[in-house]
C-alpha cells in the first residue's frame, strides 16, 4: 500500500522497482531512501512502510518463521558468494587460492589487478569466479576478453562449459560500419593479434561503442612497451581504451609479468594504474605499491580446504641413447655443412650473412629434433633450388623476397608463439632457396639427403618404444616435439607397435601428413585440438603427440601423469610450459618427466650446463625464500630467447675444453644478481595466498548448501519436489516465470559440480542459475525479520546482523556482510555468513512452513538486552571481519528464537 504520512529516518520501506530500503530523509513529496544498490530519491506515494526488527520485537505477534528463515538464508548466500564466489555454478571443484583471488579482485570496485599465478593454477576458473558474482548482480554487463588468437576458442568454450557464461567470438567479417558489432554484443572474446590492426576503422568503432565494465587480458605480457622501440600495437590499443575512458575495470593474467626490463614491467602496470606507476621512474620507489595491483601464487603454496599441499615438483629422469653408425655419419656431415655455411655467411654483407645464418640455425634446430625433420626440409629445399636455377646476382632483390618471412620470424620470437615459430623455421629452410648457403650448395645438399636416406631407424624413437614397453608399460603418455615431421615419425612408429587407434595428436594445423599406418599405407590425419584432448582425457587413446600448440591452453592431466620430451627446444621456457600441461590443477599424482639426450652431442652438453646454472639460480633464490621452484618461470620470462639461440648455435664451433668458459661468458646475464634481485622484489611485494592466514575465513561450503534453501522456497510456493537418485524435479513457481530462459519444469537437477555428461551444464544448480536467482530475489523481498521456531527444531537463538558501508559514492561488488551471533555460556559466539548458513540449513520448519506468524516468548526484555549486547559484540569485531568498507555500519537483520 502506498503511503503519504511522514517518514522518520531509519524507517524501513518497500519500493516496487528498487526493493526494500531504509529512509534517510523525508523531503515532503519525495523521500531519500538507502536501497541495496545506493541512495535514491523517490516519490513518497511509491513507498510502503514495514516494521524494523526492533519494532517487531515489541509486537504481540511475530513474523512468519518460514519467511524469516529463507530471507536470512538468502542474505547469507548472497553475502558469502559476493565475497568468495563459492556458490557459483562452476562445473569444477574450487580451491582456496582461487576463492582468495576472487575475493581480492572483487572486494573493491572498480578493480585493477595483474594476476601472475604460476602456470597450471586455473586462471580460467579464477576469471569465472570473479565474473559470476559481478554478472549475477549486474555490476558487469559489458565484458571484453582479449587473448592470443590460439586461446580465443578455449576461453569461449571453458567459460561456457564451466560457468555457463556465453561469450561472442569476434571475427573481422562481422565488424563493419553497418553491423554495429561492438554495441550489439555485450560479452565478447577477441584475439588482440587480430584487433591490434586497425582494419577498416574498427578501432574507432570500438572506442565509440559503449564503455566496457570489465576488460580481461590473458597472456598480458604481449602488451609490451620497450623504452627504445616503443609500445606494441596491442599495448597501444588497450592504452587507448584506457585513455578514452572506455574501460571501468581491468584484470590482466600472465605467468611472466616481467620480461627482463623494468621499463616494460612498469609500463604494463601503468595500463592498470596510471596514477601509481610510471616506467620512467625507479622500480624500487614503486615496489611498495605492488600489493595493490599484483597477485602472485606459486604451486608450492596451493592447498586444498584442509591445508594439504596439492603440487609437488615433477620427477625428471634423463634417458640417454647413442647414434647408430648411419646417424653418426649423417650428423657429422651436417655439422661440416653448417660450419661451411657459417664461413660463407661471414664473407657476405651484414644483411646477407644474417639471412644465411637464420637458415643454418633453423637447420640445426630441425636436426636436433630428428633426422626425419631435417631430411624433409632438405629434400624440399633441393627441389626448389633445382627448379628455380637462381644464382646470387642481386642480393638486395633476393633479400626483399625473403624479408617478409624473416620479419615474421622476428615478430613471432618476440611474441612467444612457439608453434608458429617452429612452422616458420621449417618453411625458411625450404623456401629461402634464393639465398645460397655456400657456393656448391646443391651437390652438398644431395650428399646430406643420401646420408639421411641411409638412416632406416632413428635410435631416439627406438629408445622411446623401449620405455613404453618397460618403464611406462600400460601408462598413458603425453609426448612433446617441436616439429611436425618428428610428430609424424613418432605417430607412425606408435601405430606400428601398438595399433592404428593408439594415438592422437595436437599441432597448429590440426593436420598430420606422412603418417604410415600399421599396414604400411601413407595417410593424412585430421583432428582439432579440442577433440584430440577429449579423446586422450576420456581414455580412447593411450598416447597424444603434441607440438608446442599442445603446450598452450590444453588440459591433459585427467588420466595422465607421464610426459616424454621427444626433443629439447632451445628455450627452457618451452619445457616449463610443456610440463604445465600435466602438472596443473586437477592432477592427482606426482608428474614424471623423461628427457631424451645423446650425451655425445653439443646440444646435450649445453643442456647439462644450462640445468646446472638453473640449479644455481634456484639456490640463490632459496637463500631468501622457502620454496623457489616455481619462480623459474619468472626467471625464464626475464631472459631473451635470442640468448639461448646464440648459445646453442655457437657451441658447435667451440672446442670441448673451452666450452665451459665460453658458456659462462655467453650466459653471464642469465639469472644474474640483477635478475634474482628483481624476482625477489616482485614476489616479496606482491599479494599472495597464504593458507595459514586465511584458513579460518575460507568458506567450508559448496553447492549442496543451497539445496535446503531452494526446497524451502519451492514448498512455500506450493510446489512439490520429487527426489530420486538422479536429482530433484519440480514445477517452477509462477512468480519466477518472468523472463526468457526460465523453464516451466526442471528434472533431475543436482547440486554437484562433478556431474559429467552432455546435459551436465543444464542440470547443475548454483548461484547464477535462473531458478536459484529468482528464489533469492523473492526471499530478499520478504519483509519478515523476527520469528520463533519450536525448540525441538531450533536448538539455539540466532541474532543476525548486516554490515554495510555508509559511503555510497564508493562502488563495490560486495554489497554487505551478513554475520550471525548466538549466546554461549562464555558470552557471545560470532558466525561467519557461511557458518550461519550451515546452522540455518539444519533447521526444520515442519508444519510451520505455512505459518503466517509466530508467537513471541515471554522474556522480551531479555531478548532486547541480548540484541543490544550482540550489536556491540559485532561492532567490536569489525576488524576481524575484513570488510572492504570505509565506514562500516552494523544493523540488526533478523532474529530467530526457539520457544
Amino acid at each position: 500500500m502506498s503511503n503519504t504520512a511522514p517518514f522518520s529516518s531509519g524507517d524501513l520501506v518497500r519500493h516496487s522497482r528498487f526493493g526494500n530500503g531504509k529512509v534517510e530523509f523525508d523531503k515532503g513529496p519525495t523521500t531519500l531512501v538507502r536501497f541495496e544498490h545506493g541512495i535514491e530519491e523517490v516519490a513518497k506515494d511509491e513507498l510502503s512502510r514495514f516494521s524494523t526488527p526492533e519494532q517487531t520485537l515489541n509486537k504481540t505477534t511475530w513474523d512468519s518463521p518460514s519467511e524469516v528463515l529463507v530471507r536470512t538464508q538468502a542474505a547469507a548466500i548472497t553475502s558469502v558468494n559476493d565475497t568468495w564466489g563459492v556458490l557459483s555454478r562452476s562445473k569444477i571443484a574450487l580451491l582456496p587460492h582461487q576463492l582468495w583471488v576472487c575475493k581480492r579482485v572483487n572486494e573493491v570496485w572498480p578493480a585493477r589487478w595483474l594476476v601472475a599465478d604460476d602456470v597450471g593454477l586455473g586462471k580460467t576458473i579464477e576469471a569465472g569466479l570473479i565474473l559470476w558474482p559481478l554478472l549475477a548482480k549486474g555490476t558487469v554487463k559489458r565484458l571484453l576478453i582479449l587473448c592470443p588468437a590460439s586461446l580465443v576458442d578455449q576461453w569461449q568454450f571453458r567459460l561456457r562449459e564451466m560457468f555457463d557464461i556465453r561469450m561472442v567470438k569476434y571475427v573481422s567479417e562481422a565488424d563493419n560500419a553497418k553491423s554495429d558489432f561492438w554495441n550489439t554484443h555485450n560479452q565478447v572474446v577477441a584475439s588482440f593479434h587480430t584487433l591490434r590492426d586497425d582494419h577498416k576503422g574498427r578501432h574507432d568503432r570500438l572506442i565509440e561503442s559503449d564503455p566496457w565494465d570489465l576488460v580481461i587480458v590473458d597472456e598480458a605480457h604481449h602488451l609490451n612497451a620497450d623504452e627504445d622501440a616503443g609500445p606494441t600495437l596491442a599495448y597501444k590499443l588497450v592504452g587507448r581504451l584506457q585513455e578514452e575512458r572506455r574501460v571501468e575495470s581491468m584484470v590482466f593474467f600472465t605467468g611472466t609479468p616481467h620480461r627482463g626490463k623494468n621499463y616494460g614491467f612498469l609500463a604494463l602496470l601503468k595500463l592498470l594504474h596510471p596514477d601509481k606507476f610510471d616506467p620512467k621512474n625507479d622500480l624500487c620507489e614503486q615496489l611498495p605499491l605492488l600489493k595493490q595491483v599484483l597477485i602472485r601464487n606459486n604451486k608450492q603454496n596451493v592447498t586444498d580446504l584442509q591445508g594439504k599441499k596439492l603440487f609437488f615438483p615433477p620427477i625428471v629422469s634423463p634417458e640417454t641413447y647413442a647414434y647408430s653408425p648411419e646417424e653418426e655419419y649423417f650428423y657429422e656431415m651436417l655439422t661440416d655443412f653448417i660450419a661451411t655455411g657459417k664461413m660463407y655467411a661471414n664473407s657476405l654483407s651484414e644483411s646477407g650473412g644474417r639471412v644465411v645464418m637464420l637458415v643454418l640455425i633453423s637447420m640445426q634446430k630441425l636436426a636436433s629434433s630428428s633426422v626425419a625433420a631435417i631430411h624433409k626440409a632438405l629434400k624440399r629445399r633441393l627441389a626448389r633450388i633445382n627448379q628455380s636455377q637462381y644464382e646470387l646476382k642481386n642480393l638486395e632483390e633476393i633479400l626483399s623476397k625473403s624479408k617478409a618471412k624473416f620479419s615474421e620470424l622476428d615478430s613471432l620470437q618476440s611474441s612467444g608463439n612457439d608453434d608458429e615459430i617452429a612452422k616458420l623455421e621449417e618453411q625458411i629452410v625450404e623456401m629461402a632457396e634464393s639465398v645460397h648457403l655456400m657456393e656448391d650448395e646443391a651437390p652438398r645438399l644431395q650428399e646430406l639427403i643420401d646420408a639421411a636416406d641411409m638412416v632406416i631407424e632413428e635410435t631416439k624413437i627406438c629408445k622411446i618404444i623401449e620405455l613404453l614397453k618397460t618403464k611406462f608399460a600400460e601408462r598413458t603418455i603425453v609426448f612433446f616435439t617441436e616439429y611436425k615431421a618428428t610428430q609424424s615419425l613418432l605417430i607412425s612408429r606408435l601405430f606400428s607397435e601398438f595399433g592404428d587407434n593408439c594415438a592422437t595428436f595436437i599441432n597448429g594445423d590440426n593436420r598430420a601428413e606422412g603418417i604410415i599406418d600399421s599396414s604400411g599405407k601413407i595417410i593424412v590425419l585430421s583432428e582439432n585440438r579440442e577433440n584430440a584432448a577429449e579423446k586422450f582425457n576420456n581414455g580412447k587413446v593411450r598416447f597424444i603427440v603434441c607440438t608446442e600448440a599442445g603446450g598452450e591452453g590444453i588440459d591433459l592431466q585427467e588420466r595422465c601423469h607421464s610426459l616424454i620430451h621427444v626433443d629439447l627446444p632451445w628455450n627452457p621456457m618451452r619445457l616449463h610450459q610443456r610440463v604445465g600441461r600435466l602438472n596443473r590443477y586437477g592432477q592427482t599424482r606426482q608428474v614424471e618427466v623423461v628427457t631424451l639426450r645423446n650425451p655425445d652431442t653439443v646440444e646435450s652438453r649445453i643442456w647439462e650446463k644450462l640445468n646446472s646454472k638453473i640449479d644455481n639460480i634456484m639456490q640463490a633464490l632459496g637463500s631468501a625464500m622457502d620454496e623457489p621452484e616455481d619462480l623459474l618461470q619468472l626467471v625464464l620470462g626475464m631472459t631473451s630467447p635470442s640468448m639461448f639461440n646464440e648459445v646453442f648455435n655457437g657451441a658447435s664451433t667451440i672446442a670441448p675444453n673451452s666450452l665451459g668458459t665460453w658458456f659462462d661468458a655467453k650466459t653471464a646475464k642469465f639469472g644474474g644478481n640483477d635478475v634474482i634481485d628483481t624476482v625477489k622484489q616482485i614476489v616479496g611485494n606482491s599479494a599472495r595466498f597464504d593458507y595459514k592466514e586465511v584458513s579460518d575465513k575460507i568458506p567450508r561450503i559448496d553447492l549442496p548448501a543451497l539445496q535446503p534453501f531452494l526446497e524451502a522456497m519451492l514448498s512455500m510456493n506450493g510446489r512439490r519436489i520429487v527426489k530420486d537418485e538422479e536429482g530433484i524435479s519440480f514445477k517452477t513457481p509462477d512468480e519466477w516465470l518472468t523472463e526468457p530462459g526460465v523453464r516451466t519444469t526442471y528434472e533431475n537437477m543436482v547440486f554437484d559440480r562433478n556431474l559429467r555428461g552432455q546435459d551436465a551444464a543444464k542440470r547443475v544448480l548454483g548461484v547464477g542459475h535462473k531458478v536459484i536467482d529468482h528464489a533469492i530475489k523473492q526471499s530478499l523481498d520478504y519483509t519478515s525479520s523476527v520469528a520463533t521456531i519450536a525448540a525441538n527444531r531450533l536448538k539455539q537463538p540466532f541474532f543476525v546482523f548486516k554490515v554495510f558501508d555508509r559511503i555510497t559514492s564508493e562502488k563495490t561488488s560486495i554489497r554487505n556482510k551478513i554475520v550471525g551471533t548466538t549466546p554461549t555460556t562464555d558470552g557471545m559466539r560470532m558466525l561467519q555468513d557461511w557458518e550461519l548458513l550451515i546452522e540455518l540449513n539444519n533447521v526444520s520448519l515442519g508444519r510451520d512452513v505455512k505459518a503466517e506468524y509466530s508467537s513471541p516468548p515471554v522474556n522480551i526484555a531479555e531478548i532486547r538486552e541480548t540484541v543490544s549486547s550482540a550489536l556491540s559484540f559485532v561492532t567490536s569485531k569489525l576488524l576481524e571481519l575484513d570488510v572492504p568498507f570505509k565506514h562500516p555500519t552494523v544493523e540488526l537483520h533478523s532474529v530467530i528464537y526457539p520457544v
Side-chain angles (χ1 to χ4, degrees):
M1 180 181 293
S2 62
N3 186 22
T4 57
F7 286 113
S8 299
S9 177
D11 283 350
L12 296 184
V13 293
R14 173 157 182 77
H15 188 274
S16 60
R17 177 182 172 191
F18 300 125
N20 298 341
K22 177 185 284 190
V23 171
E24 293 289 330
F25 187 70
D26 189 326
K27 299 180 68 175
T30 62
T31 305
L32 287 178
V33 181
R34 179 190 293 271
F35 293 102
E36 194 74 49
H37 65 274
I39 292 178
E40 300 280 354
E41 183 171 353
V42 295
K44 182 177 293 184
D45 61 5
E46 295 177 354
L47 298 172
S48 57
R49 191 191 318 254
F50 63 93
S51 299
T52 67
E54 291 85 355
Q55 292 168 342
T56 303
L57 284 172
N58 295 319
K59 290 183 176 182
T60 56
T61 58
W62 282 4
D63 296 323
S64 161
S66 57
E67 288 191 4
V68 174
L69 180 64
V70 296
R71 175 173 170 264
T72 307
Q73 284 175 311
I77 290 168
T78 303
S79 173
V80 68
N81 202 64
D82 281 357
T83 304
W84 297 96
V86 69
L87 297 175
S88 298
R89 54 189 291 255
S90 69
K91 293 201 308 177
I92 194 163
L94 305 176
L95 296 178
H97 79 277
Q98 296 165 340
L99 301 175
W100 178 85
V101 170
C102 172
K103 178 180 183 296
R104 287 303 301 265
V105 172
N106 282 353
E107 61 188 358
V108 176
W109 198 261
R112 297 293 181 100
W113 285 96
L114 172 60
V115 182
D117 285 357
D118 190 30
V119 62
L121 291 186
K123 66 184 174 188
T124 314
I125 297 169
E126 290 174 348
L129 283 173
I130 291 167
L131 285 172
W132 251 126
L134 301 173
L135 292 169
K137 58 180 176 279
T139 303
V140 168
K141 294 184 175 67
R142 297 263 294 163
L143 167 66
L144 175 62
I145 298 177
L146 301 175
C147 61
S150 60
L151 297 182
V152 169
D153 290 338
Q154 176 203 313
W155 272 94
Q156 185 183 36
F157 174 78
R158 290 193 176 179
L159 287 180
R160 182 182 72 246
E161 290 299 302
M162 291 181 180
F163 295 93
D164 200 28
I165 297 174
R166 307 293 170 133
M167 305 295 298
V168 173
K169 178 181 176 180
Y170 176 84
V171 290
S172 299
E173 294 77 11
D175 178 16
N176 54 62
K178 293 182 179 180
S179 67
D180 195 22
F181 177 88
W182 296 110
N183 281 318
T184 305
H185 302 288
N186 287 326
Q187 295 179 189
V188 179
V189 57
S191 159
F192 48 60
H193 291 127
T194 301
L195 280 187
R196 65 188 180 185
D197 295 323
D198 191 9
H199 180 69
K200 296 182 179 180
R202 69 171 147 214
H203 284 186
D204 286 339
R205 291 193 294 274
L206 174 60
I207 297 299
E208 291 166 5
S209 67
D210 293 337
W212 300 95
D213 300 313
L214 175 62
V215 171
I216 292 175
V217 181
D218 189 17
E219 304 294 342
H221 52 269
H222 289 280
L223 309 182
N224 186 40
D226 186 82
E227 192 169 8
D228 300 319
T232 61
L233 293 175
Y235 186 100
K236 288 180 179 178
L237 176 60
V238 176
R240 187 179 175 195
L241 286 170
Q242 163 74 12
E243 292 164 6
E244 299 278 355
R245 304 178 68 84
R246 312 314 290 167
V247 179
E248 182 175 34
S249 293
M250 286 195 291
V251 179
F252 293 170
F253 290 92
T254 175
T256 53
H258 197 300
R259 306 289 283 184
K261 296 182 179 180
N262 290 344
Y263 186 94
F265 174 61
L266 291 170
L268 184 62
L269 297 182
K270 186 178 181 180
L271 282 178
L272 293 167
H273 285 281
D275 56 325
K276 291 183 172 68
F277 297 95
D278 190 339
K280 297 178 182 178
N281 296 335
D282 185 65
L283 172 63
C284 293
E285 297 174 2
Q286 303 172 73
L287 284 174
L289 301 173
L290 281 186
K291 276 189 169 63
Q292 302 175 35
V293 64
L294 179 63
I295 292 173
R296 167 74 184 174
N297 288 314
N298 283 352
K299 284 194 175 87
Q300 272 70 13
N301 296 327
V302 169
T303 70
D304 61 14
L305 286 171
Q306 287 70 46
K308 179 183 177 182
K309 292 192 175 183
L310 298 177
F311 291 96
F312 302 93
I315 301 171
V316 181
S317 304
E319 293 286 345
T320 61
Y321 63 96
Y323 288 148
S324 66
E326 293 81 8
E327 289 172 311
E328 189 76 41
Y329 178 70
F330 170 76
Y331 280 111
E332 286 178 358
M333 185 176 291
L334 180 64
T335 300
D336 183 62
F337 180 93
I338 290 173
T340 303
K342 288 180 178 179
M343 288 189 291
Y344 180 74
N346 291 333
S347 70
L348 302 177
S349 65
E350 180 179 349
S351 55
R354 178 174 177 271
V355 172
V356 172
M357 288 300 296
L358 279 173
V359 177
L360 293 172
I361 289 172
S362 297
M363 291 177 67
Q364 281 183 274
K365 289 184 175 181
L366 287 164
S368 67
S369 177
S370 68
V371 175
I374 185 62
H375 187 205
K376 177 181 177 182
L378 291 175
K379 288 177 67 175
R380 290 185 175 181
R381 177 173 178 81
L382 181 59
R384 294 176 72 95
I385 289 174
N386 291 336
Q387 181 181 2
S388 64
Q389 293 297 314
Y390 285 151
E391 295 182 2
L392 193 60
K393 294 179 179 178
N394 188 337
L395 184 59
E396 293 305 318
E397 180 182 346
I398 292 167
L399 290 176
S400 67
K401 293 180 180 179
S402 303
K403 182 178 179 181
K405 285 292 178 188
F406 297 121
S407 175
E408 186 181 351
L409 180 61
D410 286 342
S411 175
L412 287 171
Q413 286 175 336
S414 64
S415 71
N417 193 330
D418 297 328
D419 213 58
E420 286 299 314
I421 289 172
K423 180 179 177 181
L424 197 57
E425 285 168 345
E426 290 178 295
Q427 292 176 350
I428 282 175
V429 174
E430 302 166 14
M431 298 179 65
E433 79 282 353
S434 300
V435 179
H436 289 194
L437 304 181
M438 58 194 66
E439 292 180 353
D440 57 344
E441 180 184 354
R444 296 285 299 273
L445 282 176
Q446 186 61 60
E447 291 176 356
L448 277 174
I449 293 169
D450 291 343
D453 286 337
M454 295 171 61
V455 179
I456 306 302
E457 206 169 41
E458 299 202 33
T459 50
K460 179 194 293 185
I461 303 300
C462 293
K463 182 66 176 182
I464 289 173
I465 299 302
E466 176 190 326
L467 290 171
L468 298 182
K469 292 181 176 180
T470 55
K471 182 177 180 180
F472 290 133
E474 307 303 323
R475 285 201 201 180
T476 55
I477 308 290
V478 174
F479 297 96
F480 269 100
T481 177
E482 286 198 275
Y483 300 106
K484 290 179 62 180
T486 306
Q487 182 182 53
S488 294
L489 172 68
L490 177 57
I491 294 173
S492 299
R493 186 61 188 275
L494 292 173
F495 282 1
S496 174
E497 295 288 340
F498 302 102
D500 292 341
N501 296 317
C502 70
T504 187
F505 71 96
I506 292 176
N507 62 36
D509 297 332
N510 299 330
R511 180 181 171 90
E513 299 176 342
I515 303 291
I516 303 174
D517 66 14
S518 57
S519 68
K521 181 181 178 182
I522 298 177
I523 60 174
V524 176
L525 299 180
S526 297
E527 187 89 80
N528 69 51
R529 48 197 256 136
E530 289 77 17
N531 288 345
E534 184 178 0
K535 277 185 181 179
F536 183 71
N537 287 327
N538 290 341
K540 293 180 180 179
V541 294
R542 180 183 169 191
F543 309 114
I544 187 166
V545 187
C546 307
T547 64
E548 306 304 333
E552 190 175 57
I554 290 290
D555 293 342
L556 302 172
Q557 77 281 10
E558 287 189 23
R559 293 173 179 264
C560 181
H561 67 284
S562 306
L563 182 150
I564 295 178
H565 295 295
V566 181
D567 48 33
L568 297 176
W570 285 9
N571 188 346
M573 176 65 88
R574 295 193 195 177
L575 295 183
H576 191 79
Q577 291 168 339
R578 289 175 174 183
V579 176
R581 293 302 100 203
L582 289 185
N583 194 31
R584 62 191 300 102
Y585 173 64
Q587 179 59 261
T588 58
R589 304 183 65 175
Q590 190 167 16
V591 172
E592 295 186 38
V593 179
V594 168
T595 60
L596 293 164
R597 298 181 195 169
N598 181 341
D600 295 329
T601 63
V602 174
E603 284 90 351
S604 179
R605 291 193 286 272
I606 291 297
W607 266 110
E608 287 178 10
K609 294 184 180 300
L610 267 179
N611 285 333
S612 177
K613 182 140 192 172
I614 288 171
D615 289 341
N616 291 337
I617 293 170
M618 293 299 99
Q619 290 177 12
L621 287 169
S623 65
M625 300 176 182
D626 293 333
E627 297 178 85
E629 287 83 356
D630 286 311
L631 300 182
L632 176 61
Q633 184 177 5
L634 285 177
V635 175
L636 294 176
M638 296 174 66
T639 307
S640 171
S642 62
M643 188 274 288
F644 297 115
N645 276 344
E646 290 176 14
V647 170
F648 281 100
N649 174 48
S652 60
T653 62
I654 306 301
N657 59 350
S658 303
L659 188 61
T661 304
W662 177 86
F663 175 86
D664 291 340
K666 281 289 184 181
T667 61
K669 292 185 178 181
F670 175 45
N673 290 335
D674 55 339
V675 172
I676 291 174
D677 289 344
T678 300
V679 169
K680 289 178 180 178
Q681 289 169 344
I682 291 173
V683 175
N685 287 279
S686 62
R688 54 180 176 169
F689 168 78
D690 187 330
Y691 180 82
K692 294 179 181 178
E693 290 182 5
V694 300
S695 60
D696 60 331
K697 299 174 183 176
I698 297 172
R700 273 16 182 232
I701 57 172
D702 207 340
L703 295 182
L706 295 171
Q707 186 164 352
F709 164 73
L710 179 62
E711 291 182 358
M713 287 300 297
L714 289 170
S715 295
M716 290 171 64
N717 281 277
R719 294 296 187 248
R720 187 172 66 90
I721 304 166
V722 178
K723 295 184 181 181
D724 57 30
E725 293 180 354
E726 295 296 321
I728 64 172
S729 303
F730 53 86
K731 185 178 179 181
T732 307
D734 293 340
E735 190 172 332
W736 301 356
L737 298 171
T738 57
E739 62 174 312
V742 182
R743 304 205 301 269
T744 56
T745 59
Y746 289 88
E747 296 182 354
N748 302 326
M749 307 302 289
V750 299
F751 298 87
D752 182 6
R753 300 185 192 279
N754 297 318
L755 183 69
R756 294 293 180 263
Q758 292 183 347
D759 62 345
K762 298 178 181 179
R763 293 175 56 197
V764 177
L765 290 169
V767 174
H769 192 286
K770 293 182 183 295
V771 163
I772 299 293
D773 292 349
H774 276 287
I776 291 174
K777 182 181 183 302
Q778 181 184 5
S779 56
L780 290 179
D781 284 343
Y782 290 147
T783 59
S784 301
S785 59
V786 179
T788 55
I789 296 176
N792 62 341
R793 294 194 293 271
L794 180 69
K795 304 301 181 184
Q796 57 191 339
F798 294 104
F799 302 91
V800 182
F801 296 87
K802 180 172 76 171
V803 183
F804 64 95
D805 197 345
R806 293 204 62 82
I807 303 297
T808 58
S809 59
E810 295 289 330
K811 292 189 68 175
T812 177
S813 63
I814 299 175
R815 294 168 284 192
N816 54 62
K817 175 80 171 179
I818 295 296
V819 181
T821 61
T822 187
T824 68
T825 55
D826 299 326
M828 193 71 67
R829 175 190 169 207
M830 184 169 70
L831 301 169
Q832 298 278 355
D833 40 21
W834 61 273
E835 294 173 312
L836 175 65
L837 181 60
I838 291 174
E839 295 287 351
L840 297 179
N841 284 346
N842 291 325
V843 176
S844 172
L845 287 171
R847 295 178 180 178
D848 291 340
V849 70
K850 292 292 185 180
E852 297 181 1
Y853 63 89
S854 55
S855 300
V858 295
N859 55 336
I860 299 297
E862 180 183 332
I863 293 174
R864 284 199 296 266
E865 184 177 337
T866 305
V867 168
S868 178
S869 298
L871 177 62
S872 298
F873 174 72
V874 173
T875 303
S876 70
K877 297 289 186 180
L878 284 176
L879 287 178
E880 295 181 20
L881 292 176
D882 190 29
V883 290
F885 304 146
K886 288 189 174 181
H887 291 279
T889 301
V890 184
E891 68 178 22
L892 184 62
H893 177 275
S894 53
V895 175
I896 307 175
Y897 204 85
V899 294

